[in-house]
């Protein structure tokens, strides 16, 4: 799937010389996010942009340290990777709560208005007559319940982010990334010619991705929706391999970025990655709806609306799997 070029004006370069510019650039992105955060003050949009920049840079640095660990100072790489995972995970929670609430409220509005089709354009459970009336009443209460629960979760996540960004732990991470902007601690293998040692780690990341995709039920995913309620319920217990594939695809994409890979179908890989992001978002939204439905002493109409919402989001999961299957087949199609 990749076609690396490790030559520099006709001369062989070391593995470190190939990796260093990418890591320097991602460290610079991180420091830019840190500056944006310091400048944002009470500007919500500015702080959100800063958090996105920090998360994106942290993910790319962490992924590169993971994939190319054999070429680096392993103790340094492992320590920084652990800290970056903590930071990006903490910063992601607030945005996840916000997007989940928007997704669920929009879906409730769509379902209660009877417009039907979800993001994937497929069917959702139909409600007619008294069921439709019950859904309309229940949707308003369900939306209010979800807003209370997810707003509380978002407030806690926001506090956790602010606490993290003000902590000594974060300042230590920032100092480590600042050093990375000018120097990459390499192990002995990092000084070897790139043509000899750089492809191996990237191929391991690619092989892990290919094995994960091969284990997915792509034949079933070839159908955009499976309306069987039992199949949808069973699918909820099968999300983990898809989530793992999403993470492995991310590592593969970052390895391609680091190696300046020329032959990779980047746009198709991005499309496949977006489908797996949709899958994760819909699966987590379905879980939030199910959690809300277990709230004690809620009205039957509210529980009914949350049940319809849960089924709708599981349909979205199926649609995302279908979209991934189509995009992935294009990445493996033979070049004419």
């Amino acid at each position: 799937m990749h076609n690396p070029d490790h030559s520099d004006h006709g001369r062989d370069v070391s593995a470190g010389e190939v990796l260093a510019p990418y890591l320097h650039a991602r460290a610079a992105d991180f420091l830019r996010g840190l500056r944006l955060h310091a400048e944002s003050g009470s500007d919500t949009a500015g702080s959100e942009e800063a958090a996105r920049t920090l998360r994106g840079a942290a993910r790319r640095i962490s992924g590169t340290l993971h994939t190319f660990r054999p070429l680096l100072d392993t103790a340094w790489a492992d320590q920084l990777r652990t800290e970056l995972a903590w930071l990006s995970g903490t910063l992601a929670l607030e945005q996840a709560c916000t997007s989940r609430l928007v997704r669920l409220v929009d879906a409730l509005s769509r379902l209660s208005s009877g417009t039907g089709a979800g993001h994937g354009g497929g069917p959702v459970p139909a409600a007619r007559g008294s069921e439709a009336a019950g859904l309309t009443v229940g949707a308003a209460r369900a939306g209010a319940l979800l807003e209370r629960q997810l707003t509380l979760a978002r407030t806690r996540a926001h506090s956790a982010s602010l606490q993290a960004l003000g902590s000594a732990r974060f300042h230590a991470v920032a100092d480590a990334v600042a050093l990375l902007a000018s120097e990459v601690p390499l192990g002995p293998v990092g000084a070897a010619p790139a043509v000899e040692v750089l492809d191996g780690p990237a191929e391991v990341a690619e092989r892990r991705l290919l094995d994960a995709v091969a284990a997915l039920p792509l034949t079933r995913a070839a159908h955009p929706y499976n309306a069987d309620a039992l199949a949808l319920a069973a699918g909820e217990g099968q999300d983990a391999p898809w989530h793992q594939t999403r993470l492995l695809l991310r590592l593969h994409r970052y390895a391609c970025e680091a190696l300046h890979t020329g032959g990779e179908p980047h746009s198709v890989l991005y499309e496949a990655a977006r489908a797996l992001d949709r899958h994760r978002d819909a699966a987590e939204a379905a879980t939030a709806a199910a959690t809300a439905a277990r709230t004690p002493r809620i009205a039957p109409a509210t529980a009914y609306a949350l049940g319809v919402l849960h089924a709708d989001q599981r349909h979205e999961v199926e649609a995302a799997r279908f979209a991934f299957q189509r995009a992935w087949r294009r990445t493996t199609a033979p070049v004419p």
Side-chain angles (χ1 to χ4, degrees):
M1 292 173 67
H2 66 279
N3 178 29
D5 178 8
H6 308 312
S7 62
D8 181 18
H9 302 297
R11 71 175 181 84
D12 287 340
V13 296
S14 71
E17 288 176 295
V18 174
L19 284 181
Y22 181 75
L23 285 169
H24 291 334
R26 301 296 74 75
D29 290 342
F30 184 96
L31 297 176
R32 180 167 59 85
L34 189 57
R35 186 174 66 253
L36 288 172
H37 170 70
E39 294 171 351
S40 64
S42 59
D43 177 11
T44 302
S47 62
E48 288 176 356
E49 181 186 354
R52 278 195 302 272
T53 302
L54 286 169
R55 290 201 315 269
R59 286 197 307 265
R60 282 171 166 78
I61 295 170
S62 180
T64 305
L65 298 184
H66 174 81
T67 298
F68 297 101
R69 181 179 182 271
L71 312 180
L72 303 166
D73 179 320
T74 54
W76 165 81
D78 290 347
Q79 171 68 14
L80 182 54
R81 196 159 58 87
T82 298
E83 295 305 283
L84 289 171
W86 159 74
L87 178 63
S88 60
T90 301
L91 295 180
L93 288 175
E94 182 178 0
Q95 175 58 34
C97 290
T98 301
S99 61
R100 195 169 305 142
L101 178 58
V102 170
R103 181 186 188 94
L104 289 169
V105 170
D106 286 351
L108 273 174
S109 175
R110 167 171 48 80
L111 291 166
S112 61
S113 66
T115 53
H119 296 95
V124 294
R128 297 183 178 87
S130 61
E131 285 187 355
L135 181 56
T136 301
V137 173
R141 294 176 179 174
L145 175 59
L146 287 166
E147 187 155 1
R148 285 197 302 273
Q149 292 185 345
L150 289 173
T151 299
L152 177 59
R154 182 176 61 192
T155 300
R156 289 172 175 167
H158 180 69
S159 298
S161 293
L162 291 179
Q163 186 175 1
L165 291 171
S167 68
R169 184 178 183 181
F170 172 72
H171 288 296
V173 176
D175 288 344
V177 175
L179 290 175
L180 180 62
S182 59
E183 179 184 356
V184 177
L186 298 168
V189 180
V195 292
E196 296 178 8
V197 299
L198 207 52
D199 288 350
E203 288 170 357
V204 169
E206 183 179 338
R207 174 48 52 192
R208 290 182 67 202
L209 170 62
L210 293 174
D211 289 346
V213 174
L216 294 176
L218 288 186
T219 302
R220 180 172 178 270
H223 303 284
Y225 285 91
N226 186 329
D228 186 295
L230 292 177
L232 287 174
E236 194 154 0
Q238 299 166 4
D239 291 339
W242 294 85
H243 296 331
Q244 178 66 8
T245 300
R246 173 178 169 271
L247 298 177
L248 293 173
L249 177 54
R250 175 186 286 174
L251 287 175
H252 173 59
R253 288 175 56 227
Y254 293 167
C256 291
E257 288 182 10
L259 299 186
H260 312 292
T261 301
E264 194 69 46
H266 290 291
S267 61
V268 180
L269 270 186
Y270 180 76
E271 184 182 344
R274 289 297 302 150
L276 291 178
D277 286 346
R278 279 178 51 206
H279 178 277
R280 186 272 317 270
D281 292 346
E284 291 185 348
T287 298
T291 299
R294 290 193 290 270
T295 303
R297 297 182 300 279
I298 60 174
T302 308
Y304 173 72
L306 290 167
V308 173
L309 179 60
H310 174 268
D312 172 73
Q313 292 303 300
R314 291 310 303 178
H315 278 290
E316 293 289 336
V317 168
E318 294 287 323
R321 293 180 182 183
F322 175 64
F324 171 78
Q325 176 266 151
R326 287 196 302 180
W328 182 256
R329 290 196 172 177
R330 286 198 290 278
T331 71
T332 55
V335 178

